[in-house]
Amino acid sequence: EAQVTQNPRYLITVTGKKLTVTCSQNMNHEYMSWYRQDPGLGLRQIYYSMNVEVTDKGDVPEGYKVSRKEKRNFPLILESPSPNQTSLYFCASSLEAMAGTGNSPLHFGNGTRLTVT
Amino acid sequence: AQKITQTQPGMFVQEKEAVTLDCTYDTSDPSYGLFWYKQPSSGEMIFLIYQGSYDQQNATEGRYSLNFQKARKSANLVISASQLGDSAMYFCAMREGEDTGRRALTFGSGTRLQVQP
């Protein structure tokens, strides 16, 4: 089954304790991205990757790191989490690496709800 | 300025009736795509429908149709014959053309739809 898998689904941690949220897709998609969702703000992009070893900042990258060593995996790393990073996080992937016309929606994972105390 | 505006934080509709969820967008790019996603209470994001800026006809997918009015920069989602399972959060999103270099979807803040029996 084609899917984007995020782990864990729920995570409660304390300020300053490094954590990693994993994301894996089995659709051979070039493009992968991380979003955070906060009430009243919709989804905002954190980082994205156009292909292996190619990553770039989105709208809200501060406090996050990513890596794309292989095509299927795109982990999100919080080196020193803070309470303002409490949010619902989504990983997403897409076949197309470039914007423009074309029917290529993002495929989302099921989300990771992170609480930083 | 907001790129995607959803002015209805919440909507109610009776089962079997049609409902329109509003979305307006702002872009100067001639090439863009518009998307609607559904997010049920379980949290995952589900792609519903896509409209390209050059598409001549309004997109339809089963009970979903997109009322695309390019001059007004609106892309309203119409759900016909509402079902209880349609109760969810709905997000409008836009992907701008290749000159953005980011391949990001910009999301609105969402509309929560509740279908009443």
Side-chain angles (χ1 to χ4, degrees):
Chain A
E1 181 190 349
Q3 59 185 6
V4 178
T5 304
Q6 288 177 236
N7 279 297
R9 288 294 306 274
Y10 301 92
L11 180 58
I12 301 173
T13 190
V14 296
T15 299
K17 186 176 181 182
K18 180 179 178 180
L19 66 91
T20 299
V21 184
T22 64
C23 175
S24 178
Q25 51 92 6
N26 62 0
M27 296 168 279
N28 204 34
H29 285 170
E30 296 108 347
Y31 182 87
M32 297 186 75
S33 181
W34 277 101
Y35 288 85
R36 61 177 288 174
Q37 182 182 6
D38 301 289
L41 296 176
L43 284 91
R44 295 177 292 168
Q45 191 182 45
I46 303 171
Y47 268 94
Y48 67 99
S49 170
M50 305 269 263
N51 215 322
V52 176
E53 301 292 1
V54 181
T55 64
D56 209 342
K57 296 177 180 178
D59 294 317
V60 288
E62 294 77 22
Y64 305 95
K65 286 173 61 176
V66 293
S67 69
R68 188 92 182 271
K69 293 186 170 59
E70 6 168 39
K71 200 171 188 178
R72 62 184 294 125
N73 295 325
F74 191 47
L76 179 70
I77 303 155
L78 284 73
E79 295 273 2
S80 183
S82 61
N84 65 11
Q85 292 178 298
T86 292
S87 187
L88 178 59
Y89 291 86
F90 286 97
C91 179
S93 72
S94 174
L95 184 59
E96 290 180 12
M98 289 300 293
T101 59
N103 187 359
S104 179
L106 284 177
H107 296 259
F108 283 86
N110 285 343
T112 295
R113 189 167 292 281
L114 171 65
T115 302
V116 184
T117 61
Chain B
Q2 294 267 23
K3 286 200 169 183
I4 296 285
T5 304
Q6 294 179 254
T7 57
Q8 308 151 313
M11 291 277 287
F12 289 92
V13 66
Q14 290 293 124
E15 197 177 5
K16 298 180 185 174
E17 289 186 352
V19 63
T20 298
L21 305 184
D22 294 341
C23 173
T24 57
Y25 60 92
D26 183 25
T27 182
S28 57
D29 200 308
S31 173
Y32 54 90
L34 296 157
F35 300 77
W36 277 92
Y37 286 85
K38 171 184 178 181
Q39 185 180 41
S41 58
S42 50
E44 71 269 28
M45 296 285 282
I46 303 166
F47 166 72
L48 296 177
I49 197 166
Y50 166 85
Q51 178 86 42
S53 59
Y54 294 123
D55 293 344
Q56 296 295 317
Q57 296 187 325
N58 287 345
T60 60
E61 287 285 349
R63 294 185 300 110
Y64 303 109
S65 61
L66 200 151
N67 184 2
F68 181 46
Q69 297 188 44
K70 198 169 182 177
R72 292 185 178 183
K73 294 188 174 178
S74 76
N76 298 339
L77 177 70
V78 180
I79 305 175
S80 63
S82 298
Q83 301 171 356
L84 295 178
D86 293 335
S87 294
M89 194 76 155
Y90 289 81
F91 289 96
C92 179
M94 176 175 65
R95 183 182 66 201
E96 293 174 283
E98 292 185 9
D99 59 2
T100 65
R102 284 207 290 117
R103 188 56 173 80
L105 280 181
T106 303
F107 286 83
S109 55
T111 295
R112 183 168 297 284
L113 176 67
Q114 292 193 330
V115 181
Q116 296 175 318

